[in-house]
Amino acid sequence: QVQLVESGGGLVQAGGSLRLSCAASGRTLSSYYMSWFRQSPGKEREFVAGISRTADIQYYVDSVKGRFTISRDNTKNTVYLQMNSLKPEDTAVYYCAATFTFGRMRSVGGMDYWGKGTLVTVSS
């Protein structure tokens, strides 16, 4: 079994930056495709960013392209989400997730493991 623990959330002003981290334990991180999702009050959980096992492929939702960067360090069993130029609409609980299946890395239902989330609040 795999455990995922997010960290790095907090309160930031619009235009600021945060870096989220997701630490994995139980198995080597290189076995999984990794994704970040987010959920704000009254909305469904949505895909934010995903990264392949060797980081050669990354996907982003259109609303964060050019502002967010997903990366991974398999030697440290850690995935990151660098969030720049933050906007109030980025406010949400951000979740780290892992899947064995490349074709499901952008799907909420396709994830095999989930972290418990970290809250990001962007003020205006």
Side-chain angles (χ1 to χ4, degrees):
Q1 193 166 5
V2 175
Q3 291 180 304
L4 302 173
V5 180
E6 304 95 334
S7 62
L11 176 64
V12 64
Q13 288 186 315
S17 298
L18 286 173
R19 189 179 75 159
L20 306 183
S21 298
C22 174
S25 63
R27 296 189 66 179
T28 57
L29 185 66
S30 61
S31 298
Y32 302 94
Y33 304 100
M34 302 298 298
S35 298
W36 289 93
F37 295 80
R38 67 186 180 187
Q39 187 168 24
S40 58
K43 296 184 178 181
E44 296 182 354
R45 190 170 300 186
E46 68 167 345
F47 170 81
V48 177
I51 190 167
S52 63
R53 292 172 177 175
T54 56
D56 57 317
I57 301 173
Q58 304 97 46
Y59 292 115
Y60 299 93
V61 67
D62 286 345
S63 61
V64 309
K65 287 182 178 178
R67 300 189 298 120
F68 291 10
T69 302
I70 187 171
S71 61
R72 65 192 300 163
D73 187 341
N74 290 338
T75 65
K76 298 181 179 180
N77 285 337
T78 303
V79 176
Y80 305 95
L81 185 67
Q82 180 66 47
M83 309 164 67
N84 298 326
S85 301
L86 283 162
K87 304 175 181 179
E89 53 261 43
D90 295 318
T91 295
V93 176
Y94 284 72
Y95 298 90
C96 177
T99 180
F100 289 107
T101 307
F102 174 79
R104 299 177 181 176
M105 63 187 294
R106 292 177 287 183
S107 173
V108 171
M111 299 297 105
D112 296 301
Y113 302 99
W114 289 91
K116 60 183 180 297
T118 185
L119 177 63
V120 172
T121 302
V122 184
S123 65
S124 59

